[in-house]
Every structure is written in structure tokens, then in C-alpha cells.
Amino acid sequence: RCSSCGIYSAEWSRGMHADGGPGCVFVGEKVVPKTAIGGIESITMTSASRFNYLWNCAAGKSGHSSGEALVMNPWGARTQHQMHIIVKPLSSHGHNLARKLERVTGCQTGSWHNAYWGCRYSKAQLYGSMPKVFSQVFRLASLGSFGRLVVNPQGQQTLATVAISVMFICGGKPVVLATSNGHGTCSVEHQIT
């Protein structure tokens, strides 16, 4: 029996989940794909586009609230083996980060900025509407912005070592914050929620 598979089990247990829309369910504060898949280490250049929808489900769960964060931890900083995005209220540190990201981006969309937050590598980009988060972060990561990426057994680069957070700032625009220490153990979840 898998002690780290509670989320996946809850997906299929009556009363333990709610429908989150096409392809996803809500399990407490978590947004989970309806398919069995590992965490962020399952995101490759080819799989990113298949799972971008999950961020839209999470944004819908939060109501695009400026008071909440959408967070996916890297492989070394989580306890569950089923892909999930955590939707949680921002702490005072999270609200401070939101203000910092407004300054860093200048509330202007269109380019990645050094965010200097939480981990060795940290980049933020503001968007006018919800982006294809995995695809955007993978594109940046493939340029070496987060150090060397972990390669899966099929020889494909993955986002295993990258944490991704989405918050809504600058009047409700989504900002993507991607962070990494290069080892998959740096998460900002407990610093911002």
C-alpha cells in the first residue's frame, strides 16, 4: 500500500473530492488531474501542453483571488506522488512577496525578471491572462535558467527541480514565479502561505 498516494485514492473515494471541471478534481486545498501521474517530474517538453489546463482549474478554484497562491512543489519538497497544485491563502510574507513582484515586474507583462525570492534561482513573469504555465516555465528552464534539469529514464528533461507558484497581482493579472535550488528541495509554499 502506498502511504504517499492519499490524493490519488481520495480522487476515487465518494465524499472525498469535488469535480473541478474538465480533467481535474478538488481534494481539499489541492487541484488534481483525473489521470494518475507523478508530480512535476512528469512535466517534459512534450507533456507540458497536456497538463497546462490544471493551472486554469486551480485559478478557477481560487476565483483568481489576490489573496491566494497556487503552488506546485518540486519533487524533493512534497509528500504525495500524485500531481497536484495547492491553493492556499497568502500569509503576511506572501502578501509582501506580491507587493515585491509588482515592483519587480513594474506591472508590465511580457518578460521574465529576476525575482530574488526564496531559492538560488527565481524568475517571475506577469501575464495579461492565465498563461500556459507548464509550457512557459519549461521554455525558460530549457534555457538553463534553473541550472541543469533532471532527465527522466526516457532521456527527456523534466521540471523535477522547479517549484511553480501563481499569484494574482497588479489588479488581478497572473504572475508566474518559478524557483529552484537545482536539487528539487527548494519550495516557497511555506514562506508564502
Side-chain angles (χ1 to χ4, degrees):
R1 180 170 163 93
C2 176
S3 62
S4 299
C5 301
I7 295 173
Y8 185 72
S9 299
E11 268 186 83
W12 303 105
S13 301
R14 275 173 68 135
M16 298 294 291
H17 69 276
D19 185 36
C24 65
V25 296
F26 300 153
V27 179
E29 66 189 6
K30 297 168 183 68
V31 177
V32 186
K34 288 182 179 176
T35 184
I37 183 167
I40 199 162
E41 68 275 12
S42 300
I43 300 299
T44 64
M45 182 184 300
T46 54
S47 69
S49 63
R50 288 197 314 269
F51 291 97
N52 283 323
Y53 75 89
L54 200 57
W55 290 97
N56 292 321
C57 290
K61 179 174 176 51
S62 78
H64 298 177
S65 170
S66 63
E68 294 193 307
L70 320 177
V71 181
M72 181 172 278
N73 290 316
W75 70 344
R78 63 160 206 267
T79 58
Q80 294 292 310
H81 297 313
Q82 169 68 13
M83 184 180 289
H84 62 281
I85 296 171
I86 302 162
V87 178
K88 289 174 79 172
L90 292 174
S91 65
S92 61
H93 292 293
H95 286 288
N96 289 340
L97 173 60
R99 287 188 292 277
K100 177 180 179 168
L101 293 176
E102 287 180 340
R103 288 189 305 274
V104 166
T105 64
C107 287
Q108 299 296 310
T109 61
S111 60
W112 288 99
H113 302 272
N114 288 321
Y116 306 107
W117 182 267
C119 303
R120 178 178 176 193
Y121 306 105
S122 123
K123 299 277 189 179
Q125 182 170 343
L126 186 68
Y127 294 86
S129 60
M130 197 65 184
K132 296 178 178 177
V133 176
F134 285 134
S135 296
Q136 292 292 310
V137 172
F138 195 91
R139 187 173 299 120
L140 178 65
S142 68
L143 299 174
S145 297
F146 303 107
R148 234 174 117 209
L149 295 178
V150 170
V151 175
N152 67 17
Q154 292 75 36
Q156 300 169 311
Q157 291 181 319
T158 73
L159 291 180
T161 60
V162 180
I164 303 173
S165 302
V166 173
M167 295 184 292
F168 297 92
I169 63 172
C170 301
K173 294 177 183 171
V175 63
V176 175
L177 175 66
T179 57
S180 179
N181 64 1
H183 305 289
T185 56
C186 188
S187 167
V188 299
E189 175 191 354
H190 300 292
Q191 295 173 22
I192 65 174
T193 62

